[in-house]
Structures are given as C-alpha cells and as structure tokens.
Amino acid sequence: MAYATLFQPLEMGNETFKNRVFMAPLTRLRAIEPGDMPNILAAEYYAQRAGAGLIITEATQVSLQAKGYAGAPGLHDENQVTAWKVITDAVHAKGGKIVVQLWHTGLVSHKSVQPDGKAPISASDVKVGVRTSLRDALGQAIRVDSTTPRPASLEEIKQVIADFAQATKYAKEAGFDGVEIHGAHGYLIHEFWAEHTNKRDDNYGGSRENRARLMLEVIDACVDAWDKDHIGIRISPLGTFNNVEVGYNEEEATWLVEQINKRGLMYLHLSEPDWAGGTPYSTEFRQKMRQAFDNTIIAAGGYTPEKAESLIEAGYIDAVAFGRDYIANPDLAERIEKGVALNKQHPETFYGGDRKGYTDYLFMSK
Ligand code: STR
C-alpha cells in the first residue's frame, strides 16, 4: 500500500512542506492557570509529532477576553511568547513545521473566565445552547453551560481585530511558521458570519458582505501584521457545530471563499461536517471550493489516508489534517507511510490532565 501523493512534498507560502499528512488543531486543555501558559509538556508533545508535514497547534487565545475554556493557552503577552518559543524550537529541532491557531471563543465562553466577569461577546445576544469546559477546585475539567452572550460594541470589534494582529506579531516573534485564523465551529468569527447568531443592523450584520466583514478585516489585519504567505484560515462551511450554522447554503459558502481567495493566503483549511455527524460534502461542492480558491486547500474531518489520497489525486484538496489519530500516534505520518497499525485512542484523556494520554502514546517499534 504505497501512497503516490500523500508523501509528496507540498509548496505553500514560500516554503516546502515535507509531506501532506498534517496535524489538525487539537484543544487539550492542559495550559497553566493563571497566565494561560502552554504547559512545558507541550514542547515534548509537539516535538514528538514533528513528522507531520505541518503541525497546527491547539486553538490559542488572542486576548484575555477571547478565552472560553479553562486550560486553553494564550498568545497575548511576552511570557506566553517565551513559552511558545521553547515549543517552536523543539519542533524545528526535529525537522518539523508549526503554525499557531488563533481564536476568540465568542458565545462559547463563560463569565467566570472573562477578565471583567461580564457575559462574553458575540455578534448578538442569541443563546444557542452550548457547553464549555472549566476547572473545578481541584483543577479537573468540568462541563458547564456557556453564558448567554451580549452583542459586541463597535469599539470591541475593533479591539478584536487589533488583538488578532498583535497575536500574529507575537507568533512571528515566537518562531512559528505562520498563523491559522479560527473562522470555524461557531466561535466568534463564525458567529458573525452565521445568520442564526448575527442579528445586527450595523455594518457587521445583515447582508453577506456585512456578516463576512469581521472575518475579512481580521484576515487583512493579520496579513498587515506579517504577510499573506504566513496566514491561513480554517472555516467549516455546511457544518452546524456549536449550533451556530443552521441550514446549508452552498452559494454563500462559495462566495465567502471567493472573498478569502482575494487575500492570497497561504492556505484554506476546510473542517468538513463528517467529524461532528454532519452531511459529507458532495463532489459538486468540492469542485466549487477548488474553483473558488487558488492556493493550498487542507481538508479535515473523519479522513482515512485512502480518502485523502484519492481526493488529492482527484485535485480537490492538497493536504489532509488528522486530529484524533494524531493524539494517539505521535508518529502518525511514518505509520501511514509504512502501513503500521495505529494505537488505541483514550478519549477520557483528550481534555485536561497531565502527561497521561498526552506525551505517553507509544511510537511504533522500529
Ligand atoms: C470543537 C471544535 C473546535 O474547534 C474546538 C474544540 C475544542 C473544545 C471542545 C470542542 C471542540 C467540542 C466540545 C467540547 C470542547 C471541550 C468541552 C466540550 C468537547 C473539539 C464538551 O464536552 C461539550
């Protein structure tokens, strides 16, 4: 079972990536509080996975206000930059490449993790019925209903955009190979895009142009802060995760990707609906995505290597990102290439905890 394309190098931005088996962004909720510092174990965890063509980090806050989960790290102060530098150095020392995924969690947040104890911001005050993960007195992850959000003021929207730009500068300083904007899964940027959660009547709501404005302004600010060759974006068209997108609209999704395409970004990362039980993309929709976007398309969501290989060969995608398989297999790319069986996953250690289920999954025996 030799793969013809999965292990071909890929040109993206100004760089060459050694293969097309990428590590998807994976929240692990092991960051240190207070301070939202990546855990020192994260250097070992990511370095173990340096065989991936590209590592996309766990989603990382652009500000204190962006926080929604206890244990997700931030990239909004110099201490965090110093901590992330240890991680990027460890990955580079093993010949890997790593970008940081930046998010604002919007309505998924909870007032207890907000800097001012207020309700989290969103486009509007729509409650969608979603849960987040906080920590109890012993530091264990506990699931809690998110706080009903309040509409962001225009000043707060400006600040969010500035925070994404500043985090992008910090990412460069911390030695990352780029930045991925989290525009998917019902977090803040997606909440502005989705009609279900955006009831605004100003320039940020109503028409598709207005609902896309936050996403596109964030992209432009990040490109200004670094350059287009180091910025990618993840979106989840036709998905309904976190109860945000309601109803499929292929035409609007295609229009959005066309607007993103005008920015000439390093890549478009599509989180497909399959992983969360949604309807798989049709071939026609894949064709539309490919036509709308000129640069690299990364796909993720319940992929097998075989499916990835055939869609790369058909020309619809360029690379695949694996999530849960990368949690359980530090050497996933090497295993796929050699046809070696994968480790068993332990979902009870996905979120929170220590090295168990984090840095202790075994490598294949040589
Ligand atoms: C959804 C997709 C995404 O972009 C980021 C995350 C990270 C946190 C996850 C979340 C996920 C799914 C729902 C989870 C949450 C942590 C707690 C929450 C698993 C994968 C629940 O248990 C309801």
Side-chain angles (χ1 to χ4, degrees), residues 27 29 69 103 131-133 143 182 185 187 241 275 351:
T27 291
L29 302 185
Y69 299 88
W103 71 354
R131 287 190 311 167
T132 183
S133 180
R143 308 285 184 257
H182 195 335
H185 299 160
Y187 298 106
F241 197 77
W275 74 276
Y351 302 108

Side-chain angles (χ1 to χ4, degrees), residues 217-231:
E217 288 184 352
V218 165
I219 293 175
D220 291 341
C222 293
V223 169
D224 265 4
W226 195 338
D227 63 40
K228 66 179 175 49
D229 293 320
H230 293 92
I231 311 294

Side-chain angles (χ1 to χ4, degrees), residues 25 56 59-60 62 100-106 160 164 179-194 197 211-212 214-216 218-219 222 231-242 244-245 253 256-257 260 265 267-271 281:
I56 305 164
T60 300
V62 297
V100 59
Q101 193 196 47
L102 297 178
W103 71 354
H104 188 303
T105 58
V160 167
F164 270 92
V179 157
E180 174 173 297
I181 298 164
H182 195 335
H185 299 160
Y187 298 106
L188 188 72
I189 292 175
H190 192 189
E191 291 154 26
F192 272 74
W193 169 243
T197 41
R211 287 181 286 110
L214 176 63
M215 181 185 289
L216 299 175
V218 165
I219 293 175
C222 293
I231 311 294
I233 187 164
R234 189 177 218 212
I235 59 171
S236 49
L238 316 191
T240 56
F241 197 77
N242 278 334
V244 165
E245 200 148 32
L256 181 65
V257 170
I260 295 170
L265 301 186
Y267 67 75
L268 175 71
H269 186 177
L270 296 174
S271 170
Y281 287 170

Side-chain angles (χ1 to χ4, degrees), residues 40-365:
I40 184 62
L41 291 172
E44 185 184 351
Y45 164 74
Y46 285 117
Q48 287 175 339
R49 287 156 180 78
L54 175 66
I55 294 169
I56 305 164
T57 70
E58 62 208 278
T60 300
Q61 284 95 242
V62 297
S63 65
L64 291 169
Q65 188 202 60
K67 182 171 177 176
Y69 299 88
L75 184 50
H76 46 80
D77 69 36
E78 288 289 348
N79 290 332
Q80 292 161 340
V81 172
T82 306
W84 280 114
K85 183 83 174 54
V86 175
I87 295 168
T88 62
D89 283 346
V91 169
H92 292 147
K94 295 273 185 202
K97 286 198 160 66
I98 179 166
V99 301
V100 59
Q101 193 196 47
L102 297 178
W103 71 354
H104 188 303
T105 58
L107 62 66
V108 180
S109 188
H110 189 272
K111 57 183 184 332
S112 69
V113 294
Q114 284 294 301
D116 50 13
K118 285 207 281 189
I121 60 163
S122 181
S124 303
D125 59 0
V126 180
K127 185 183 173 71
V128 298
V130 65
R131 287 190 311 167
T132 183
S133 180
L134 303 178
R135 281 180 182 165
D136 68 13
L138 297 174
Q140 307 281 357
I142 44 161
R143 308 285 184 257
V144 175
D145 286 338
S146 302
T147 307
T148 303
R150 62 189 174 84
S153 68
L154 289 176
E155 294 84 275
E156 284 174 315
I157 292 175
K158 255 199 203 140
Q159 189 59 51
V160 167
I161 296 163
D163 291 339
F164 270 92
Q166 180 57 50
T168 298
K169 288 184 186 155
Y170 281 144
K172 191 176 175 185
E173 196 182 320
F176 282 105
D177 298 289
V179 157
E180 174 173 297
I181 298 164
H182 195 335
H185 299 160
Y187 298 106
L188 188 72
I189 292 175
H190 192 189
E191 291 154 26
F192 272 74
W193 169 243
E195 277 184 288
H196 179 57
T197 41
N198 187 338
K199 308 292 177 197
R200 303 178 73 94
D201 53 15
D202 60 8
N203 283 341
Y204 289 90
S207 64
R208 63 188 187 183
E209 284 77 10
N210 283 352
R211 287 181 286 110
R213 193 175 307 282
L214 176 63
M215 181 185 289
L216 299 175
E217 288 184 352
V218 165
I219 293 175
D220 291 341
C222 293
V223 169
D224 265 4
W226 195 338
D227 63 40
K228 66 179 175 49
D229 293 320
H230 293 92
I231 311 294
I233 187 164
R234 189 177 218 212
I235 59 171
S236 49
L238 316 191
T240 56
F241 197 77
N242 278 334
N243 302 332
V244 165
E245 200 148 32
V246 175
Y248 294 169
N249 193 331
E250 294 200 6
E251 202 268 317
E252 276 207 348
T254 308
W255 175 87
L256 181 65
V257 170
E258 286 164 1
Q259 309 316 303
I260 295 170
N261 187 52
K262 290 182 191 157
R263 274 74 187 172
L265 301 186
M266 172 191 200
Y267 67 75
L268 175 71
H269 186 177
L270 296 174
S271 170
E272 300 185 14
D274 315 37
W275 74 276
T279 311
Y281 287 170
S282 64
T283 303
E284 296 68 52
F285 187 66
R286 292 192 185 286
Q287 257 152 4
K288 285 183 193 164
M289 292 293 98
R290 182 48 108 190
Q291 270 159 25
F293 196 75
D294 298 326
N295 293 342
T296 299
I297 296 181
I298 306 170
Y303 269 78
T304 59
E306 291 70 25
K307 178 175 168 186
E309 174 92 358
S310 81
L311 289 177
I312 293 172
E313 277 173 9
Y316 296 130
I317 64 173
D318 303 292
V320 60
F322 291 101
R324 284 163 280 196
D325 285 337
Y326 246 121
I327 289 181
N329 298 276
D331 50 358
L332 181 68
E334 297 85 337
R335 285 183 192 236
I336 292 173
E337 191 167 21
K338 298 204 164 82
V340 173
L342 304 188
N343 292 328
K344 185 173 156 21
Q345 300 172 8
H346 298 287
E348 67 284 1
T349 52
F350 282 178
Y351 302 108
D354 49 25
R355 65 165 55 246
K356 191 160 174 277
Y358 192 52
T359 51
D360 66 351
Y361 280 106
L362 296 180
F363 285 75
M364 61 189 182
S365 36

